[in-house]
Protein backbone atom coordinates (compact mmCIF):
# COMPACT_ATOMS: atom_id res chain seq x y z
CA UNK A 1 0.00 0.00 0.00
CA UNK A 2 1.09 3.60 -0.46
CA UNK A 3 2.57 5.47 2.47
CA UNK A 4 1.96 8.89 0.90
CA UNK A 5 1.54 11.63 1.92
CA UNK A 6 4.96 12.05 3.47
CA UNK A 7 4.89 12.06 7.24
CA UNK A 8 6.19 15.63 7.28
CA UNK A 9 3.17 16.70 5.22
CA UNK A 10 0.82 14.85 7.55
CA UNK A 11 2.31 16.63 10.56
CA UNK A 12 1.84 19.98 8.87
CA UNK A 13 -1.85 19.34 8.39
CA UNK A 14 -2.91 17.48 11.52
CA UNK A 15 -2.17 14.98 14.29
CA UNK A 16 -0.80 11.49 13.74
CA UNK A 17 -1.40 8.62 16.17
CA UNK A 18 1.54 6.49 17.30
CA UNK A 19 1.32 2.94 18.58
CA UNK A 20 1.78 1.79 22.19
CA UNK A 21 4.27 -0.41 24.00
CA UNK A 22 5.72 -3.26 21.93
CA UNK A 23 6.88 -5.25 24.94
CA UNK A 24 3.53 -5.29 26.74
CA UNK A 25 1.75 -6.34 23.55
CA UNK A 26 4.21 -9.20 22.99
CA UNK A 27 3.93 -10.24 26.63
CA UNK A 28 0.14 -10.24 26.33
CA UNK A 29 0.59 -12.72 23.49
CA UNK A 30 2.44 -15.07 25.82
CA UNK A 31 6.00 -14.28 24.76
CA UNK A 32 8.79 -14.29 27.36
CA UNK A 33 10.84 -11.09 27.20
CA UNK A 34 13.11 -11.86 30.15
CA UNK A 35 16.24 -11.52 28.08
CA UNK A 36 18.92 -8.88 27.49
CA UNK A 37 17.70 -8.51 23.90
CA UNK A 38 14.13 -7.91 25.12
CA UNK A 39 11.71 -7.71 22.18
CA UNK A 40 14.60 -7.74 19.69
CA UNK A 41 15.09 -11.46 20.45
CA UNK A 42 11.79 -12.19 18.75
CA UNK A 43 13.08 -10.74 15.49
CA UNK A 44 15.23 -13.85 15.29
CA UNK A 45 12.97 -16.37 17.00
CA UNK A 46 9.38 -15.28 16.29
CA UNK A 47 9.18 -12.47 13.72
CA UNK A 48 5.52 -13.22 13.03
CA UNK A 49 4.74 -12.27 16.64
CA UNK A 50 6.30 -8.85 16.03
CA UNK A 51 4.18 -8.36 12.90
CA UNK A 52 1.04 -9.35 14.80
CA UNK A 53 1.84 -6.87 17.58
CA UNK A 54 2.19 -4.07 15.04
CA UNK A 55 -1.04 -5.16 13.37
CA UNK A 56 -2.93 -4.98 16.67
CA UNK A 57 -1.96 -1.33 17.01
CA UNK A 58 -2.79 -0.46 13.41
CA UNK A 59 -6.19 -2.07 13.86
CA UNK A 60 -6.65 -0.10 17.09
CA UNK A 61 -6.19 3.14 15.16
CA UNK A 62 -2.44 3.84 15.17
CA UNK A 63 -1.02 5.51 12.08
CA UNK A 64 2.63 4.83 12.92
CA UNK A 65 4.33 1.59 13.99
CA UNK A 66 7.60 1.88 15.90
CA UNK A 67 9.84 -1.07 15.07
CA UNK A 68 11.15 -3.68 17.51
CA UNK A 69 14.74 -2.46 17.05
CA UNK A 70 14.99 -0.40 20.25
CA UNK A 71 17.31 -2.96 21.85
CA UNK A 72 18.64 -4.40 18.58
CA UNK A 73 22.34 -3.58 18.17
CA UNK A 74 25.35 -5.23 16.58
CA UNK A 75 26.99 -5.44 20.00
CA UNK A 76 23.95 -6.91 21.73
CA UNK A 77 23.45 -9.54 19.05
CA UNK A 78 27.17 -10.40 19.13
CA UNK A 79 26.88 -11.32 22.81
CA UNK A 80 24.33 -13.91 21.73
CA UNK A 81 26.64 -15.32 19.06
CA UNK A 82 24.84 -13.55 16.19
CA UNK A 83 27.32 -12.27 13.60
CA UNK A 84 27.31 -8.88 11.97
CA UNK A 85 25.70 -9.98 8.69
CA UNK A 86 22.81 -11.72 10.44
CA UNK A 87 22.42 -8.81 12.86
CA UNK A 88 22.03 -6.43 9.90
CA UNK A 89 19.39 -8.76 8.45
CA UNK A 90 17.47 -8.69 11.73
CA UNK A 91 17.62 -4.90 11.92
CA UNK A 92 16.21 -4.69 8.39
CA UNK A 93 13.62 -7.31 9.31
CA UNK A 94 12.31 -5.04 12.07
CA UNK A 95 11.30 -2.54 9.39
CA UNK A 96 9.95 -5.29 7.17
CA UNK A 97 7.77 -6.70 9.94
CA UNK A 98 6.13 -3.31 10.46
CA UNK A 99 5.63 -2.89 6.71
CA UNK A 100 4.00 -6.31 6.53
CA UNK A 101 1.60 -5.32 9.33
CA UNK A 102 0.70 -2.18 7.40
CA UNK A 103 -0.09 -4.29 4.33
CA UNK A 104 -2.30 -6.62 6.36
CA UNK A 105 -4.15 -3.77 8.03
CA UNK A 106 -6.11 -3.06 4.84
CA UNK A 107 -7.10 0.46 5.81
CA UNK A 108 -7.55 3.41 3.46
CA UNK A 109 -5.68 5.76 5.78
CA UNK A 110 -1.91 6.23 5.31
CA UNK A 111 0.30 4.14 7.61
CA UNK A 112 3.93 4.88 8.41
CA UNK A 113 6.89 3.00 9.90
CA UNK A 114 9.30 4.54 12.42
CA UNK A 115 12.58 2.65 12.90
CA UNK A 116 13.49 2.72 16.58
CA UNK A 117 17.04 3.75 17.46
CA UNK A 118 17.26 3.22 21.20
CA UNK A 119 19.98 4.65 23.44
CA UNK A 120 23.36 3.07 24.17
CA UNK A 121 22.13 2.08 27.62
CA UNK A 122 19.45 -0.17 26.10
CA UNK A 123 22.23 -2.36 24.70
CA UNK A 124 23.77 -2.64 28.17
CA UNK A 125 20.42 -3.97 29.48
CA UNK A 126 21.14 -2.71 32.99
CA UNK A 127 18.76 0.23 33.22
CA UNK A 128 21.43 2.79 32.41
CA UNK A 129 19.35 4.23 29.57
CA UNK A 130 17.38 5.90 32.35
CA UNK A 131 20.49 7.54 33.76
CA UNK A 132 22.70 8.36 30.78
CA UNK A 133 26.22 9.59 31.38
CA UNK A 134 27.87 6.33 30.30
CA UNK A 135 31.41 7.68 30.44
CA UNK A 136 31.64 7.80 26.65
CA UNK A 137 32.40 10.84 24.52
CA UNK A 138 29.97 12.19 21.95
CA UNK A 139 32.24 10.84 19.20
CA UNK A 140 32.28 7.38 20.77
CA UNK A 141 28.50 7.36 21.02
CA UNK A 142 28.22 8.50 17.40
CA UNK A 143 30.44 5.59 16.30
CA UNK A 144 28.16 3.21 18.19
CA UNK A 145 24.93 4.54 16.69
CA UNK A 146 25.93 5.26 13.08
CA UNK A 147 26.23 1.66 11.72
CA UNK A 148 22.84 0.66 13.10
CA UNK A 149 21.23 3.87 11.85
CA UNK A 150 22.69 3.24 8.38
CA UNK A 151 21.20 -0.27 8.22
CA UNK A 152 17.82 0.86 9.47
CA UNK A 153 17.72 3.81 7.05
CA UNK A 154 18.60 1.51 4.14
CA UNK A 155 15.62 -0.70 5.04
CA UNK A 156 13.30 2.13 4.03
CA UNK A 157 11.41 3.41 7.09
CA UNK A 158 9.49 6.67 6.85
CA UNK A 159 11.28 8.12 9.87
CA UNK A 160 13.95 7.19 12.42
CA UNK A 161 12.74 7.31 16.03
CA UNK A 162 15.67 8.47 18.17
CA UNK A 163 13.89 7.60 21.38
CA UNK A 164 14.22 7.36 25.16
CA UNK A 165 17.34 9.54 24.98
CA UNK A 166 18.55 10.21 28.54
CA UNK A 167 21.01 13.07 28.06
CA UNK A 168 22.26 15.78 25.72
CA UNK A 169 25.56 14.04 24.92
CA UNK A 170 23.69 11.11 23.43
CA UNK A 171 21.27 13.42 21.66
CA UNK A 172 24.17 15.24 20.03
CA UNK A 173 25.71 11.91 19.00
CA UNK A 174 22.44 10.68 17.51
CA UNK A 175 21.93 13.88 15.56
CA UNK A 176 25.40 13.43 14.07
CA UNK A 177 24.76 9.74 13.39
CA UNK A 178 21.66 10.33 11.27
CA UNK A 179 23.05 13.24 9.31
CA UNK A 180 23.06 12.57 5.58
CA UNK A 181 21.14 9.30 5.71
CA UNK A 182 18.26 10.66 3.69
CA UNK A 183 15.61 9.66 6.23
CA UNK A 184 13.98 12.19 8.59
CA UNK A 185 14.05 11.62 12.34
CA UNK A 186 12.29 12.53 15.52
CA UNK A 187 14.23 13.06 18.74
CA UNK A 188 12.51 12.01 21.95
CA UNK A 189 13.96 12.37 25.44
CA UNK A 190 13.11 10.41 28.55
CA UNK A 191 12.36 13.15 31.06
CA UNK A 192 11.78 13.62 34.77
CA UNK A 193 10.14 16.89 35.68
CA UNK A 194 11.71 19.68 33.63
CA UNK A 195 14.98 17.82 33.09
CA UNK A 196 16.41 14.94 31.14
CA UNK A 197 17.01 11.72 33.03
CA UNK A 198 20.64 12.77 33.35
CA UNK A 199 19.57 16.05 34.96
CA UNK A 200 20.05 18.61 32.19
CA UNK A 201 17.36 21.28 31.64
CA UNK A 202 14.91 20.09 29.00
CA UNK A 203 14.95 23.55 27.48
CA UNK A 204 18.64 23.11 26.60
CA UNK A 205 18.07 19.53 25.45
CA UNK A 206 15.28 20.51 23.06
CA UNK A 207 17.32 23.44 21.72
CA UNK A 208 19.91 21.00 20.31
CA UNK A 209 17.43 19.94 17.64
CA UNK A 210 15.97 23.34 16.82
CA UNK A 211 18.17 23.86 13.76
CA UNK A 212 18.65 20.20 12.77
CA UNK A 213 17.07 19.81 9.34
CA UNK A 214 16.79 16.02 9.75
CA UNK A 215 14.57 16.38 12.82
CA UNK A 216 10.89 16.70 11.94
CA UNK A 217 9.60 16.41 15.52
CA UNK A 218 10.97 16.77 19.04
CA UNK A 219 9.57 15.68 22.40
CA UNK A 220 9.48 13.03 25.11
CA UNK A 221 8.62 9.38 25.65
CA UNK A 222 8.93 6.76 28.38
CA UNK A 223 8.10 9.32 31.07
CA UNK A 224 5.02 9.85 33.19
CA UNK A 225 1.97 11.48 31.60
CA UNK A 226 2.36 14.30 34.12
CA UNK A 227 5.92 15.03 33.00
CA UNK A 228 4.74 14.96 29.38
CA UNK A 229 2.18 17.71 30.10
CA UNK A 230 4.95 20.22 30.80
CA UNK A 231 7.39 18.97 28.19
CA UNK A 232 5.10 19.28 25.16
CA UNK A 233 4.58 23.03 25.49
CA UNK A 234 8.27 23.57 26.23
CA UNK A 235 9.43 21.60 23.19
CA UNK A 236 7.11 23.53 20.90
CA UNK A 237 8.20 26.88 22.28
CA UNK A 238 11.94 26.15 22.17
CA UNK A 239 12.10 24.56 18.71
CA UNK A 240 9.06 25.65 16.75
CA UNK A 241 8.84 22.06 15.47
CA UNK A 242 5.97 19.58 15.74
CA UNK A 243 6.07 17.76 19.07
CA UNK A 244 6.14 13.99 19.60
CA UNK A 245 4.81 12.62 22.89
CA UNK A 246 4.31 9.02 23.99
CA UNK A 247 4.55 8.54 27.75
CA UNK A 248 4.22 5.41 29.86
CA UNK A 249 0.98 4.40 31.56
CA UNK A 250 1.92 6.25 34.74
CA UNK A 251 2.60 3.08 36.72
CA UNK A 252 5.99 2.63 38.42
CA UNK A 253 8.48 -0.17 37.83
CA UNK A 254 9.64 -1.84 41.08
CA UNK A 255 13.08 -3.22 40.20
CA UNK A 256 13.32 -5.40 43.33
CA UNK A 257 9.92 -6.99 42.88
CA UNK A 258 10.28 -6.91 39.07
CA UNK A 259 6.70 -5.73 38.77
CA UNK A 260 4.71 -2.63 37.92
CA UNK A 261 3.02 -0.86 40.83
CA UNK A 262 0.53 1.96 41.23
CA UNK A 263 -2.35 2.99 39.01
CA UNK A 264 -2.33 4.15 35.39
CA UNK A 265 -2.66 7.91 34.98
CA UNK A 266 -2.59 7.97 31.16
CA UNK A 267 -5.96 8.71 29.61
CA UNK A 268 -7.11 9.93 26.23
CA UNK A 269 -8.37 13.02 28.01
CA UNK A 270 -4.82 14.38 27.96
CA UNK A 271 -4.74 14.41 24.17
CA UNK A 272 -6.61 17.69 23.79
CA UNK A 273 -4.13 19.54 25.99
CA UNK A 274 -1.13 18.05 24.22
CA UNK A 275 -2.54 18.96 20.80
CA UNK A 276 -3.27 22.51 21.92
CA UNK A 277 0.34 22.76 23.14
CA UNK A 278 1.82 21.62 19.81
CA UNK A 279 1.83 17.81 19.83
CA UNK A 280 1.42 16.27 16.37
CA UNK A 281 2.60 12.71 17.06
CA UNK A 282 0.76 11.20 20.03
CA UNK A 283 0.87 7.64 21.37
CA UNK A 284 2.05 5.57 24.30
CA UNK A 285 5.11 3.74 25.55
CA UNK A 286 5.46 1.12 28.33
CA UNK A 287 2.19 -0.43 29.57
CA UNK A 288 0.08 1.46 27.05
CA UNK A 289 -1.83 -1.05 24.94
CA UNK A 290 -4.22 -1.12 21.96
CA UNK A 291 -7.24 -0.12 24.05
CA UNK A 292 -5.64 3.18 25.05
CA UNK A 293 -4.34 3.79 21.53
CA UNK A 294 -7.88 3.26 20.25
CA UNK A 295 -9.13 5.90 22.68
CA UNK A 296 -6.37 8.32 21.60
CA UNK A 297 -7.25 7.77 17.94
CA UNK A 298 -10.89 8.44 18.71
CA UNK A 299 -10.02 11.68 20.50
CA UNK A 300 -7.73 12.85 17.68
CA UNK A 301 -10.19 12.10 14.91
CA UNK A 302 -13.11 13.65 16.79
CA UNK A 303 -11.27 16.97 17.12
Amino acid sequence: MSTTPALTDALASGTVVLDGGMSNQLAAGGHDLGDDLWSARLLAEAPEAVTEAHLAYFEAGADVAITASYQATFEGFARRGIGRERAAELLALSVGAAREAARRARTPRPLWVAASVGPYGAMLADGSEYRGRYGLTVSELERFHRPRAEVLAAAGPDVLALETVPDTDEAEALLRAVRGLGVPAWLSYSAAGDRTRAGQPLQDAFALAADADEVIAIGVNCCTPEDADHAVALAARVTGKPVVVYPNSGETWDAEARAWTGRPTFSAGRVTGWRESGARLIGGCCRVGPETISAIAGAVRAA
Side-chain angles (χ1 to χ4, degrees):
M1 62 168 291
S2 170
T3 57
T4 54
L7 183 57
T8 49
D9 294 335
L11 297 182
S13 60
T15 305
V16 174
V17 179
L18 302 178
D19 61 7
M22 170 60 72
S23 61
N24 48 264
Q25 185 61 19
L26 290 169
H31 298 282
D32 179 11
L33 302 179
D35 183 281
D36 284 354
L37 288 176
W38 203 32
S39 58
R41 178 177 60 82
L42 296 185
L43 292 171
E45 298 179 7
E48 176 62 21
V50 176
T51 297
E52 290 174 356
H54 287 311
L55 181 58
Y57 283 117
F58 280 141
E59 292 181 337
D63 303 309
V64 181
I66 302 174
T67 64
S69 51
Y70 173 83
Q71 209 139 336
T73 64
F74 288 108
E75 293 80 359
F77 282 132
R79 289 203 299 262
R80 294 290 297 274
I82 297 173
R84 204 164 181 84
E85 183 176 349
R86 177 58 175 158
E89 291 174 354
L90 293 174
L91 283 163
L93 176 62
S94 71
V95 176
R99 287 283 183 218
E100 175 59 21
R103 283 190 288 270
R104 294 186 195 177
R106 299 184 183 278
T107 174
R109 71 181 191 277
L111 301 177
W112 294 275
V113 171
S116 173
V117 183
Y120 177 84
M123 180 272 295
L124 299 177
D126 63 358
S128 59
E129 73 258 45
Y130 299 112
R131 300 187 297 271
R133 295 305 192 216
Y134 315 113
L136 301 178
T137 65
V138 172
S139 293
E140 287 170 331
L141 287 168
E142 179 187 357
R143 287 195 293 272
F144 168 79
H145 285 297
R146 178 72 183 197
R148 176 172 55 148
E150 288 176 340
V151 171
L152 288 169
D158 299 290
V159 63
L160 297 169
L162 315 179
E163 58 178 357
T164 325
V165 179
D167 66 40
T168 53
D169 284 353
E170 187 148 34
E172 185 177 347
L174 283 162
L175 292 174
R176 290 185 191 177
V178 302
R179 195 168 295 152
L181 293 181
V183 178
W186 77 58
L187 176 63
S188 181
Y189 289 95
S190 177
D194 62 355
R195 294 181 176 269
T196 67
R197 289 283 188 162
Q200 302 117 338
L202 271 180
Q203 178 166 327
D204 297 343
F206 291 146
L208 281 178
D211 297 321
D213 292 339
E214 291 85 359
V215 176
I216 62 172
I218 179 79
V220 292
N221 76 290
C222 209
C223 59
T224 68
E226 293 77 16
D227 287 336
D229 290 344
H230 166 76
V232 170
L234 181 64
R237 178 170 58 80
V238 170
T239 69
K241 293 179 182 284
V243 176
V244 55
V245 56
Y246 50 118
N248 295 334
S249 67
E251 297 163 271
T252 302
W253 176 252
D254 185 328
E256 289 188 12
R258 297 192 62 79
W260 291 90
T261 62
R263 297 171 61 87
T265 59
F266 191 154
S267 73
R270 295 181 181 272
V271 170
T272 298
W274 291 339
R275 291 180 76 245
E276 290 175 349
S277 295
R280 293 296 175 265
L281 288 144
I282 301 175
C285 201
C286 299
R287 304 281 286 179
V288 177
E291 184 176 340
T292 302
I293 296 305
S294 180
I296 290 173
V300 165
R301 286 157 194 155

